[in-house]
Each structure stands twice: as C-alpha cells, then as structure tokens.
Amino acid sequence: MELLENLKWRYATKKFDFGKKVNDEDLEKLKEAIQLAVSSYGLQLYKVLIISEEKLKEKLRTVSWDQSQITDASHLFVFCNYSERNDKHVDDYIKAVSDIQQTPMEKLEGYQNLIKQSLGSKNDDEWQSWSQKQTYLAMSNLLTACAELKIDACPIEGFESEKYNEILGLGQKGLNACVIVPVGYRSNDDHTQFRKKVRKPMAELFEMV
Ligand SMILES: Cc1cc2nc3c(=O)[nH]c(=O)nc-3n(C[C@H](O)[C@H](O)[C@H](O)COP(=O)(O)O)c2cc1C
C-alpha cells in the first residue's frame, strides 16, 4: 500500500529549503484534496488562506513563536474555522445540494431544519470546538496529499491565533485562525528528517473487541 510508504516518508518538517517553491499544478491538487475533505453534514465550516507573500509571512512569523518554517516554506496554509454560528451556512449548503443533486428544496427542508436545530443546541464553546474539529479534518487531507506528492509540510499550533486574526483581518469575516501548515520542500540540513518515527505500539493503540 503506497499510502503507508508515503506516510512513513513524511515528517513534521522543521527546516524548509527557501529556494524551492511548490508549482501551480501541485498547488491545485493540494487545494482539491482539501476541498474533498469530509465534514459533519457536509457543511465545510472553514476557509483556507494560502499565503506566499514574503513580507506577510515575515510578519506572521513574529506571532508564530519565531518558527522558521513560516518564512522558509513555499506557501503557508492558514486553516480558519467560522467562529460564529449562522444559519446561512446551512441555507447555502442546502441550496448547493439542491442545485448539484437536482433535488427540489422542499424535499430538503426537513434535513435543513434538523441541521439548524442541532447547531442551535450548541453553546458558544461547543460551536468553537466543533467547527475547529471540522477544520482539522481538512488539514489532515492536506498532510496526506502532500505526502503523496512528496511535498513537505508541518502542522503548527504554535502561533497566536488572536494576532493572526488581527493581521489577516479574519474577525470581520467571522473567521478564526485555527491551525496552520507551511508547505514546501525540506532542507538537506534538516536533521529531523533522519529521526526514526515515534509511535505507540499497535498493541497499545488498538483494542480488538
Ligand atoms: C495539531 C498539531 C500541532 C503541531 N504544532 C507544531 C508546532 O507548533 N511546531 C512544530 O514544529 N511541530 C508541530 N507539530 C508537529 C508534531 O510535533 C509532529 O507531527 C509529531 O511530533 C509527530 O511527528 P511526525 O509528524 O514527524 O511524524 C504539530 C502537530 C499537530 C498535529
């Protein structure tokens, strides 16, 4: 299974080669992999910013624990969850289902109400947590797609979310920077690439019932 080999090849890249850039064709494939991510009800409650502008990356590095991956990577993917509940997310989704799957809106009304009811029952903290979980699933697709394309990546939570929201003007769009992923190519002198993977043994990780 080639996927397993790719997953063994990938690692959380600590040092990127600044001179190597991801080409447009591969970038489109990565975007499509994110687009195809699973999400609860299919709502995709997130937006992804892809930043390649060097000055902006430099600014973001200062609020990302000065991690060099932010500036050295080819592109910085900023996964943002929608921070506020809004029935429009549901209405837009149902409209898309109706258009794409050629189903009359009336037939989807029950489902539409059920989703709204379920979302409405969440308090603010539950909403944040839930919409962020969806966002992480999309991020995971990016990491897997990168591995298949032999593109390096590093998932990063070590950044100041509030500062990202300010710098990127996310608040006014109802968005919140949730997790980020610099993407590019490993530097030859990134020694972490030679470290053995540390994972729990199968017997500890799984229980066959
Ligand atoms: C949500 C998340 C946040 C992470 N944050 C950081 C980070 O801020 N900086 C970093 O260098 N690595 C970060 N990592 C990378 C992990 O440390 C790494 O994935 C883990 O140690 C397993 O190693 P591997 O990915 O090389 O197999 C993060 C990983 C995840 C999934």
Side-chain angles (χ1 to χ4, degrees), residues 10-12 14 65 67 69 136 139 154-158 179 197 199:
R10 68 146 297 281
Y11 74 109
K14 303 294 174 205
W65 303 0
Q67 298 190 72
Q69 296 104 311
Y136 276 84
M139 177 202 70
C154 183
I156 287 185
E157 269 180 339
V179 63
K197 281 226 173 288
R199 293 294 190 268

Side-chain angles (χ1 to χ4, degrees), residues 13 15-22 51-52 54 57 67-77 152-154 181-185:
T13 306
K15 198 166 176 205
F16 285 88
D17 183 337
F18 177 74
K20 290 191 186 160
K21 304 293 174 198
V22 175
I51 299 170
S52 56
E54 302 302 340
K57 286 198 287 175
Q67 298 190 72
S68 66
Q69 296 104 311
I70 310 296
T71 45
D72 291 348
S74 168
H75 293 76
L76 178 67
F77 285 64
D152 288 294
C154 183
V181 183
V183 160
Y185 296 93

